[in-house]
């Protein structure tokens, strides 16, 4: 199969072309021939987990370091917001383009470039003398993350033998989940010990191990059908639009309705409209508008936006609340939030199976409501919460309820995104969903301090921050409730969800249509990444190729 009904093959959908690479023993080994149980297979999983793990950790552990960064560099709250958002901005805006570059120029090559780029940007972050340099370096980090994050999964999909791909993706997903779970703990330990700069310096030895392993043990692959122009214009318009809106939201508390703030807001909206117009007219758009013809896909992405906007705001503010108001150390704050990701690590796979049996509507309704309850329980956290009894009675119940909510919803959400489109578009659908979640978190981190009335120095004053935190948490919970209502009203459970669909093309297409999804020659495809620990974005899924594709 060549092109999808919506246009030319997308970056996530293209089939890898085998290219020869030298195996460790000198014998040639081609992409698509590596077995999971072999030494090359283990090396390949190692390097892809290390590469993607760097990007994942730097998007989460930074939250526990923010108070120390602000104190050390003498910055205001806006600079801390930009420290988080500069990274998210370039990563969200360029992650789909990063996959396209790998298809054209070689997945291993682009992955290695991304790892090196990320490591060099991390070094600049570590030695940054002021907030401006740190923010710029974080933006460059995001570019490296956009190159290596989709590339790590693409290498798994392209390099392993077809019989072992699902197992390899499962290993990649599982080890990545372990990394996500321990990340805040490691970040807090580094901040309290050698200092926040070591959060970034840690990436250097990881990259030094990752690059030579990739060059020696990972075969190169690319898509010979990757042709035409890259949608650079679309990527730039999307990223600049987000940047201008973010600027307006972050700067508004300090500058008010100044010409710069108003101009940025208006410019961001206009460029967003231009992005939609360009994507509609391009023959090979980065985000094909036709994919949103699936009602289910559109609705689930709106639910994703609500969920991850709430999560982005929650983890940004809670890490500061625990340290500035409750008196936790950075290590204590990271450890306090750990139960959420631990619950996801152990129970997300079971949740995915449950969602497969009962359908997506109930999990996507109940999960956000549970998570909203956890966020409201965080309102009990205050000056006495740093004691053992305070943690057990105030912090732990909140993060456990939040974790149960995320366990309930994230795996079914990912499965529903994939079920809403043709099998050949699974990689593209996952990439769009991942980017939407990151953009949601970006906007939430920018908007919540403004909406809650946080001043530029709020994080330095425990009383002021606590008051604004109490206003912000109900807003986060409200976003989750909105997502739950949307899911309950618009996500329809397929009639045949508890039992296998009829083994006919008409039967499969009928059930897909009842769910609001698109017909498929192979029926709904299921996630291969069974472990879901990311609180910043749902996991990326590999491309799926129909027989003969």
């Amino acid at each position: 199969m060549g092109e999808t009904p919506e246009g030319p093959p997308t970056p996530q959908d293209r089939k890898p072309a085998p290219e020869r690479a030298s195996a460790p023993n000198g014998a040639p080994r081609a992409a698509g021939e590596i077995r999971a149980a072999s030494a090359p297979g283990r090396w390949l999983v190692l390097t892809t987990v290390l590469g993607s793990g760097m990007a994942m950790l730097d998007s989460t552990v930074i939250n526990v370091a923010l108070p120390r960064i602000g104190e050390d560099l003498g910055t205001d709250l806006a600079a801390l917001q930009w420290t988080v958002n500069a990274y998210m901005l370039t990563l969200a805006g360029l992650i789909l383009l990063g996959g396209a570059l790998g298809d054209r120029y070689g997945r291993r090559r682009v992955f290695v470039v991304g790892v090196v780029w990320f490591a060099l940007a991390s070094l600049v972050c570590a030695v940054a003398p002021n907030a401006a340099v740190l923010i710029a370096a974080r933006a460059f980090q995001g570019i490296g993350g956009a190159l290596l994050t989709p590339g790590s999964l693409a290498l798994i999909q392209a390099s392993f033998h077809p019989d072992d791909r699902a197992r390899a993706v499962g290993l990649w997903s599982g080890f990545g989940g372990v990394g996500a779970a321990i990340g805040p703990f490691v970040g807090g330990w580094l901040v309290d010990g050698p200092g926040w700069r070591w959060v970034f310096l840690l990436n250097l030895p990881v990259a030094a191990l990752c690059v030579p392993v990739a060059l020696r043990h990972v075969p190169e692959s690319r898509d010979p059908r990757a042709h035409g122009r890259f949608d650079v214009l679309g990527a730039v318009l999307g990223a600049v639009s987000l940047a201008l809106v973010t600027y307006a939201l972050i700067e508004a508390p300090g500058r008010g309705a100044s010409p710069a703030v108003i101009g940025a807001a208006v410019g961001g909206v206009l460029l967003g409209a231009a992005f939609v117009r360009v994507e509609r007219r391009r023959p090979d758009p980065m985000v094909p508008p036709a994919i949103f013809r699936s009602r289910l896909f559109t609705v689930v992405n709106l639910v994703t936006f609500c969920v991850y906007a709430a999560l982005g705001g929650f983890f940004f503010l809670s890490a500061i609340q625990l340290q500035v108001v409750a008196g936790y150390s950075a290590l204590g704050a990271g450890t306090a939030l750990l139960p959420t990701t631990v619950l996801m690590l152990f129970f997300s796979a079971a949740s995915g199976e449950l969602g497969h049996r009962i359908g997506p509507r109930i999990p996507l309704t109940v999960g956000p409501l549970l998570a909203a309850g956890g966020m409201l329980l965080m309102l009990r956290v205050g000056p006495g919460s740093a004691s053992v009894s305070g943690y057990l009675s105030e912090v732990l119940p909140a993060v456990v309820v939040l974790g149960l909510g995320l366990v309930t919803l994230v795996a079914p959400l990912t499965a529903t995104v994939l079920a809403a489109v043709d099998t050949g578009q699974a990689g593209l659908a996952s990439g769009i969903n991942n980017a939407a979640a990151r953009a949601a978190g970006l906007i939430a981190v920018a908007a919540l301090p403004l909406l809650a009335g946080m001043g530029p120095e709020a994080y330095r004053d425990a009383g002021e921050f606590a008051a604004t935190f109490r206003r912000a948490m109900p807003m986060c919970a409200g976003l989750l409730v909105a997502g739950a209502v949307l899911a309950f009203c618009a996500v329809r459970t397929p009639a045949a969800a508890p039992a296998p669909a009829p083994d006919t093309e008409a039967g499969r297409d009928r059930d897909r249509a009842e769910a609001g999804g698109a017909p498929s020659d192979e029926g709904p495809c299921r996630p291969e990444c069974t472990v879901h620990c990311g609180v910043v974005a749902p996991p990326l899924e590999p491309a799926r190729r129909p027989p003969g594709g």
Side-chain angles (χ1 to χ4, degrees):
M1 297 178 69
E3 300 183 353
T4 65
E6 287 74 22
T10 59
Q12 289 81 9
D13 297 335
R14 294 165 179 143
K15 184 177 180 179
E19 290 192 8
R20 288 293 177 185
S22 295
N25 59 6
R29 186 177 297 276
E33 295 181 1
I34 295 178
R35 308 304 300 231
S38 66
R42 290 190 289 270
W43 283 114
L44 176 53
V45 171
L46 172 66
T47 191
T48 52
V49 167
L50 289 176
S52 61
M54 287 196 307
M56 181 185 299
L57 291 178
D58 270 41
S59 64
T60 55
V61 303
I62 190 67
N63 287 331
V64 299
L66 290 175
R68 298 292 180 86
I69 292 174
E71 179 182 348
D72 188 26
L73 299 182
T75 64
D76 59 10
L77 181 63
L80 299 186
Q81 291 172 273
W82 276 116
T83 301
V84 174
N85 278 353
Y87 176 85
M88 297 293 290
L89 177 64
T90 50
L91 180 58
L94 302 176
I95 193 168
L96 292 175
L97 184 61
L101 290 171
D103 285 338
R104 173 78 68 86
Y105 297 113
R107 298 179 176 98
R108 183 185 67 179
R109 177 182 299 174
V110 172
F111 173 78
V112 169
V113 169
V115 170
V116 173
W117 187 306
F118 195 92
L120 293 176
S122 298
L123 177 60
V124 178
C125 288
V127 300
N130 53 53
V133 174
L134 176 62
I135 291 167
R138 286 283 287 169
F140 277 95
Q141 257 194 328
I143 297 174
L147 296 176
L148 68 90
T149 300
S152 62
L153 187 54
L155 284 175
I156 293 275
Q157 184 75 348
S159 301
F160 279 94
H161 189 279
D163 294 341
D164 286 358
R165 283 174 188 164
R167 179 184 176 190
V169 171
L171 290 171
W172 179 84
S173 170
F175 284 120
V178 172
I182 67 174
F185 176 84
V186 173
W189 177 76
L190 289 172
V191 171
D192 284 339
W196 64 266
R197 298 179 186 274
W198 282 87
V199 171
F200 301 108
L201 288 174
L202 182 64
N203 293 326
L204 301 184
V206 174
L209 174 62
C210 185
V211 170
V213 170
L215 293 176
R216 178 172 175 81
H217 296 283
V218 178
E220 183 61 284
S221 64
R222 55 172 56 87
D223 187 349
R225 297 176 296 173
H227 57 80
R229 298 179 179 178
F230 293 115
D231 188 11
V232 176
L233 178 59
V236 170
L237 285 174
V240 176
S241 173
L242 278 175
L244 290 175
V245 171
T246 301
Y247 174 86
L249 293 171
I250 290 177
E251 297 299 325
R255 300 192 178 193
S258 65
V261 170
I262 295 175
V266 173
V269 172
L270 292 177
L271 287 180
F275 169 77
V276 173
R277 185 179 180 86
V278 165
E279 296 302 281
R280 287 181 179 274
R281 293 190 171 190
R282 286 188 67 90
D284 51 351
M286 180 177 68
V287 182
I291 198 171
F292 291 97
R293 292 174 184 167
S294 165
R295 176 181 56 84
L296 183 60
F297 181 76
T298 302
V299 168
V300 175
N301 274 284
L302 290 174
V303 174
T304 297
F305 190 91
C306 292
V307 168
Y308 283 93
L311 291 176
F314 173 83
F315 283 101
F316 173 73
L317 297 176
S318 293
I320 300 176
Q321 172 81 356
L322 288 172
Q323 295 178 71
V324 173
V325 177
Y328 280 80
S329 64
L331 175 60
T335 306
L337 298 172
L338 194 59
T340 297
T341 46
V342 170
L343 285 170
M344 297 176 72
L345 176 65
F346 284 109
F347 299 111
S348 57
S351 173
E353 289 300 320
L354 177 63
H356 179 65
R357 291 197 300 270
I358 68 175
R361 188 185 187 192
I362 293 176
L364 296 186
T365 301
V366 174
L369 293 177
L370 279 173
M375 291 185 181
L376 293 178
L377 286 174
M378 279 294 291
L379 294 173
R380 303 168 62 213
V381 174
S385 300
S387 64
V388 174
S389 61
Y391 176 75
L392 293 176
S393 63
E394 297 170 5
V395 181
L396 184 61
V399 296
V400 167
V401 173
L402 174 64
L404 291 175
L406 296 184
V407 165
T408 303
L409 77 92
V410 175
L413 184 146
T414 300
T416 309
V417 165
L418 299 183
V421 298
D422 290 332
T423 300
Q425 290 186 306
L428 173 65
S430 175
I432 292 173
N433 188 244
N434 186 278
R438 295 181 188 278
L442 166 77
I443 293 174
V445 170
L448 273 175
L450 170 64
L451 296 175
M454 291 186 184
E457 302 297 323
Y459 80 97
R460 300 180 187 275
D461 186 305
E464 180 183 354
F465 193 88
T468 52
F469 182 82
R470 287 193 293 269
R471 292 194 289 269
M473 283 302 99
M475 297 177 190
C476 293
L479 282 169
L480 287 165
V481 172
V485 171
L486 181 60
F488 181 79
C489 295
V491 175
R492 298 178 59 191
T493 303
D503 191 20
T504 65
E505 181 177 349
R508 288 191 296 265
D509 288 351
R510 183 198 67 221
D511 289 344
R512 300 268 292 194
E514 290 176 356
S520 170
D521 292 337
E522 299 180 358
C525 66
R526 299 181 61 186
E528 291 185 15
C529 297
T530 56
V531 178
H532 306 261
C533 288
V535 296
V536 176
L540 284 171
E541 284 285 328
R544 314 294 170 86
R545 289 175 290 278

